[in-house]
Amino acid sequence: MIENQQQIDDEKYMRRSLELAAQGEQLGEVPVGAVIVCNGEVIGEGFNQPITSHDPTAHAEVIALRIAAERIQNYRLIESTIYVTLEPCTMCIGALIHARIARLVYGTTEPKAGAVVSQSQLLDAVYFNHRIASQGGVLANECQHQLSDFFRRRREELRLQKNTLVKN
């Protein structure tokens, strides 16, 4: 029963992460969303904002960490779980370790820059003094489709712009 409830909760918070990713997409950002939960309560949320904020560190995970830490008035987010639609990058894994996140749940892998299983396995590195449990593949198809649809549309828009410039 506990495992079943965990799966229900994981899907619930991943769906919220997908909603947040869609908000970022509306702003022209790569659609990645993140939710941080502690003791059954959402304490932080975020979506990618590096383009609109002109901040290379404004990934969904970092935004959610900042909000959660401010909310609980502590930079240590012990016993918290972060849900993110895309496998985190190196920077975000570092931030999650420093925040002492207990568990990471992500939707789809990031073949080019993923730092959990795809390109590096930073959570398995012996030199970190904090361990984060992780689980990938929660609503993986939905997360992957959101990203691939975004990039397909972006390529099509660029192709149309290029064709318009060539004609003029």
Side-chain angles (χ1 to χ4, degrees), residues 76-93:
R76 300 286 196 213
L77 303 174
I78 298 168
E79 298 182 13
S80 295
T81 298
I82 187 165
Y83 298 87
V84 62
T85 57
L86 183 65
E87 177 186 3
C89 69
T90 301
M91 175 186 71
C92 290
I93 289 296

Side-chain angles (χ1 to χ4, degrees), residues 51-95:
I51 297 167
T52 54
S53 68
H54 311 289
D55 178 356
T57 69
H59 289 196
E61 300 94 323
V62 172
I63 300 295
L65 286 170
R66 289 174 181 161
I67 291 169
E70 180 67 28
R71 178 158 184 206
I72 69 167
Q73 292 292 291
N74 193 335
Y75 72 107
R76 300 286 196 213
L77 303 174
I78 298 168
E79 298 182 13
S80 295
T81 298
I82 187 165
Y83 298 87
V84 62
T85 57
L86 183 65
E87 177 186 3
C89 69
T90 301
M91 175 186 71
C92 290
I93 289 296

Side-chain angles (χ1 to χ4, degrees), residues 116-148:
V116 179
V117 296
S118 294
Q119 287 298 323
S120 60
Q121 295 76 43
L122 288 181
L123 295 182
D124 298 331
V126 296
Y127 48 83
F128 288 121
N129 62 350
H130 176 70
R131 297 283 170 246
I132 298 175
S134 69
Q135 178 183 349
V138 175
L139 301 181
N141 288 336
E142 291 93 327
C143 294
Q144 179 59 48
H145 285 301
Q146 187 178 48
L147 284 159
S148 58

